[in-house]
Amino acid sequence: MRVPSSIVFHVHLVQDIATLQPLMKLARSLPGSRCEILVSAEFAKLDATGRWTDELGRLCADLDVPKTTYASEYEAFRHLQDKRGLIVAGSESTLPNHAVTHRLFASAPSSFTTITLQHGFECVGFLHNVAHDASAGRAVGFAADIIVGWFAPARLSSVMASERAKLYVAGPPSMIERPARAARRAMV
């Protein structure tokens, strides 16, 4: 019997919630969708006030999506082992701040396609500013199978040549909710 596909949203950094939230809502609205949230144990340590932990809890409750916290790539692998589908991360690269997600993607079961998102206008691995170049260098890679950017490939000047075949341009996730907001404003 074939296991149904799942969409697993990976959260490690607090900003991942804002990046992933529109996609979570969209995915959950699809008929028959099977979604879950996989959270690194380090997330709670990075959320000093607990604000984002609370936000994530509300989001899980609102969307009726289960949340699993893991402490190591081995635990995550065991959790995902008998599943298949997509793992979507709000941030992943070869940089130290993204190491947890990078290791998860490098060790994910082959039954999953891994996806990372450009999470800001100027974003490491996609479109650097001078400060990015100074701190991260120009050779930022990804373990993700697919990297989703905001702009045409020619405008994403920091995507390394070796990563270009992975690039899919979809625009910012925050634009997903825009049509609904515009429609509400038009009704007023």
Side-chain angles (χ1 to χ4, degrees):
M1 182 173 145
R2 189 166 171 101
V3 177
S5 292
S6 295
I7 303 172
V8 178
F9 293 96
H10 182 257
V11 174
H12 171 63
L13 302 175
V14 294
Q15 60 263 34
D16 292 344
I17 295 172
T19 301
L20 293 171
Q21 185 176 30
L23 286 174
M24 290 177 189
K25 290 177 178 178
L26 176 64
R28 195 64 186 109
S29 73
L30 300 172
S33 68
R34 297 172 52 95
C35 299
E36 68 177 273
I37 299 175
L38 187 61
V39 182
S40 75
E42 291 182 28
F43 172 77
K45 297 174 194 169
L46 298 170
D47 182 19
T49 66
R51 175 178 183 248
W52 293 104
T53 300
D54 293 346
E55 178 67 23
L56 186 58
R58 276 191 296 279
L59 185 61
C60 289
D62 289 349
L63 298 177
D64 191 26
V65 174
K67 176 181 78 169
T68 302
T69 301
Y70 73 95
S72 70
E73 293 81 38
Y74 178 71
E75 274 186 35
F77 184 88
R78 278 194 340 207
H79 175 75
L80 298 169
Q81 189 170 9
D82 296 325
K83 299 177 182 181
R84 67 184 188 92
L86 304 173
I87 304 174
V88 183
S91 54
E92 183 269 325
S93 75
T94 54
L95 296 182
N97 287 349
H98 299 159
V100 168
T101 307
H102 188 73
R103 288 190 309 265
L104 172 71
F105 277 16
S107 63
S110 61
S111 56
F112 280 93
T113 298
T114 55
I115 302 168
T116 194
L117 308 172
Q118 179 177 350
H119 50 275
F121 177 75
E122 293 177 331
C123 179
V124 293
F126 290 92
L127 183 61
H128 292 192
N129 60 36
V130 174
H132 285 134
D133 285 344
S135 66
R138 298 194 55 91
V140 177
F142 301 94
D145 298 314
I146 300 169
I147 61 173
V148 179
W150 293 12
F151 307 107
R155 302 252 342 259
L156 294 172
S157 58
S158 301
V159 177
M160 294 189 322
S162 61
E163 301 290 343
R164 290 229 170 240
K166 299 178 179 183
L167 179 62
Y168 178 83
V169 177
S174 61
M175 297 302 287
I176 291 171
E177 294 182 307
R178 265 228 198 301
R181 286 186 204 140
R184 282 195 300 269
R185 272 190 246 118
M187 295 171 68
V188 175

